Every structure is written in structure tokens, then in C-alpha cells.
């Protein structure tokens, strides 16, 4: 992924993903993605980031982001405009582009009063407010699913679409979401799919990675499922 930095912009990116950059960019170490969410930053490996700043004077500088360790990892750049926001699981964040001197706006949303949260043990979400550009990393690529009414017919029923729970990266806050049972229990028993899918209803978009991660290895299944559960509970 090639990211262009204009005058007055900076990029914070995981060091392992920084492949190349134009000469002239100012580089600094940033120990924590955001000090307001230290546990989330540490758990998602958003520590010891590289911060690249445009030196000024006009022109665009380019930064190349790639993964040398995981060949299946692909990147996408998502623009969140001023006045809009996007709920994103920080586990999939590789970096962020901001205006210099502007702090990234992160809102933590707790949903302890919803029965859906207790069904899936997912109690918190992170909402990123614009303007910013988020660099997201997903297995085998990132797909955008759009929920909108078709133009060729009139209907009062909101569009709905389900997706694998483990593949969900983020979604627009206006969408209603709720858990629905997956089609087969056998796939869950074998560790290939979660017990519940996510159902999104309304008008908006959600992002998901092309591959949900595959089968959990039997030897470490308990610890992998426990770590996934902890991440899901706190919105990571």
C-alpha cells in the first residue's frame, strides 16, 4: 500500500509494516499509539510505532506499507471525513494519517445494557472520529459490504446482511447489529467458525477481512479461544 502525505500531515505506523519512504520525511519513535488506551495499544501491538512527518514546503511524500512476515496480510486505506466516524477493532489497525498538531479522536462505547452484548460477550467498541485516514490490515484483503436499498423497487424493509464474527473489522455507527446463530454447530465444534454470526441491519457499510483465520489448532485451542474471547469482550 502506497500512502501519500501532504503538507501538514503525519503518519503513525507499526514499525514492522514500514517498508520504504521518501527521503526528507521526519521520523520519530512513538512509544504508544494513544496513551488514553494503553492496554488496547499494548494488546494490539500498537507500541513502538514510527511517526513520519511531512517537512513542509509543499509537494507530496510517499510511504510504502507492506508485510514481510505474513504474505497473506493486505492493507487498505480508509478515509473518515470531518463529522463522520467509524467503529473499528484496533486489532486490525496498522497505522493512522492525521493533521500535524491534531489529536486522534477515539470514543469508547460500552454496551453493558444490551442483551446482544451478553449473548456474544462483546461489551465495548472503539469509534474513530474524522478527519483521519486509517490504515487497516486484513488476511487475504479487506472487503467493503454496502447495505443500501435497491434503486429498482420501493420497500420499507431495511437491508440486512450477515458475516462471520471473526472477520469483522469495523462498521458505520448507524448500522444496527445483533448476533444470530451460525448455520451449523459442527463447524463451531471443530473450531472452524464461531457459534454466532454478526447480522447488520440498516443503511451503511461494514468492513471485513477476506479470510476469518481458519481452523483453531487443537493443541492450543483453549488458549486461542480464551484470547479471542478477551479481545472480543473489550472491543479489540
Amino acid at each position: 500500500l502506497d500512502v501519500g502525505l501532504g503538507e501538514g500531515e503525519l503518519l503513525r505506523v507499526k514499525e514492522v509494516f514500514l517498508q520504504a519512504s521518501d527521503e526528507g520525511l521526519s521520523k520519530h519513535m512513538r512509544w504508544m499509539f494513544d496513551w488514553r488506551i494503553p492496554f488496547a495499544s499494548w494488546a494490539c501491538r500498537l507500541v513502538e510505532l514510527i511517526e513520519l512527518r511531512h517537512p513542509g514546503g509543499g509537494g507530496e511524500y510517499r510511504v510504502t506499507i507492506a508485510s514481510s512476515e505474513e504474505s497473506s496480510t493486505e492493507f487498505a486505506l480508509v478515509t473518515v471525513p470531518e463529522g463522520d466516524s467509524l467503529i473499528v477493532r484496533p486489532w486490525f489497525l496498522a497505522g493512522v494519517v492525521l493533521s500535524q498538531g491534531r489529536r486522534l479522536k477515539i470514543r469508547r462505547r460500552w454496551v453493558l445494557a444490551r442483551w446482544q452484548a451478553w449473548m456474544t460477550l462483546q461489551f465495548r467498541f472503539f469509534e474513530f472520529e474524522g478527519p483521519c485516514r486509517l490504515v487497516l490490515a486484513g488476511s487475504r484483503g479487506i472487503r467493503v459490504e454496502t447495505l443500501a436499498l435497491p434503486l429498482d423497487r420501493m420497500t420499507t424493509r431495511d437491508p440486512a446482511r450477515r458475516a462471520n464474527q471473526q472477520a469483522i473489522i469495523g462498521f458505520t455507527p448507524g448500522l444496527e447489529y445483533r448476533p444470530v446463530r451460525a448455520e451449523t454447530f459442527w463447524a463451531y465444534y471443530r473450531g472452524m467458525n464461531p457459534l454466532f454470526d454478526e447480522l447488520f441491519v440498516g443503511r451503511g457499510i461494514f468492513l471485513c477481512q477476506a479470510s476469518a483465520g481458519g481452523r483453531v489448532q487443537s493443541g492450543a485451542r483453549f488458549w486461542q479461544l480464551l484470547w479471542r474471547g478477551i479481545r472480543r469482550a473489550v472491543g479489540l
Side-chain angles (χ1 to χ4, degrees):
L1 176 70
D2 285 332
V3 179
L5 294 181
E7 187 172 1
E9 288 188 325
L10 63 85
L11 166 67
R12 294 172 188 156
V13 62
K14 290 183 177 181
E15 186 175 12
V16 68
F17 293 147
L18 179 60
Q19 186 181 76
S21 60
D22 285 345
E23 181 66 21
L25 286 168
S26 174
K27 295 183 180 180
H28 303 278
M29 175 72 73
R30 184 176 179 87
W31 295 106
M32 190 76 65
F33 179 75
D34 197 297
W35 289 101
R36 294 168 295 174
I37 50 171
F39 172 76
S41 298
W42 171 81
C44 297
R45 304 169 188 165
L46 290 168
V47 293
E48 298 183 15
L49 306 174
I50 300 297
E51 183 174 280
L52 301 100
R53 290 175 174 264
H54 192 287
E60 183 181 72
Y61 287 74
R62 294 162 60 87
V63 179
T64 302
I65 296 174
S67 176
S68 58
E69 298 179 352
E70 296 289 340
S71 59
S72 62
T73 300
E74 297 183 22
F75 301 89
L77 188 64
V78 178
T79 300
V80 184
E82 178 85 40
D84 286 337
S85 62
L86 187 69
I87 293 174
V88 174
R89 294 171 60 187
W91 182 263
F92 297 98
L93 270 178
V96 62
V97 179
L98 293 168
S99 297
Q100 297 183 24
R102 192 182 187 101
R103 194 173 189 180
L104 180 63
K105 297 179 181 178
I106 305 175
R107 181 184 303 167
R108 285 160 286 189
R109 297 176 54 176
W110 291 92
V111 290
L112 296 173
R114 290 173 56 96
W115 67 266
Q116 295 94 334
W118 291 95
M119 286 285 292
T120 59
L121 299 179
Q122 187 170 356
F123 303 109
R124 183 174 67 170
F125 296 92
F126 289 88
E127 184 176 351
F128 294 81
E129 300 182 16
C132 64
R133 288 185 286 162
L134 303 176
V135 182
L136 303 177
S139 178
R140 307 293 181 186
I142 297 174
R143 190 173 69 253
V144 180
E145 298 280 357
T146 302
L147 281 76
L149 290 175
L151 299 177
D152 57 346
R153 63 184 178 90
M154 298 296 294
T155 179
T156 58
R157 181 172 59 87
D158 285 332
R161 193 169 179 85
R162 70 161 65 192
N164 187 307
Q165 189 181 74
Q166 296 174 5
I168 299 299
I169 295 176
F171 56 93
T172 49
L175 286 176
E176 177 190 353
Y177 71 94
R178 55 177 177 263
V180 291
R181 264 290 305 272
E183 288 83 354
T184 60
F185 180 80
W186 182 243
Y188 166 73
Y189 178 78
R190 296 173 60 195
M192 300 180 66
N193 285 311
L195 184 60
F196 292 95
D197 288 334
E198 292 282 5
L199 179 68
F200 294 95
V201 182
R203 297 171 179 83
I205 66 169
F206 66 89
L207 309 172
C208 54
Q209 56 180 349
S211 173
R215 183 174 179 175
V216 178
Q217 298 298 320
S218 57
R221 183 179 182 185
F222 172 78
W223 298 110
Q224 291 186 46
L225 292 177
L226 177 63
W227 178 232
R228 283 183 182 179
I230 294 173
R231 281 168 37 198
R232 183 172 63 248
V234 296
L236 305 183

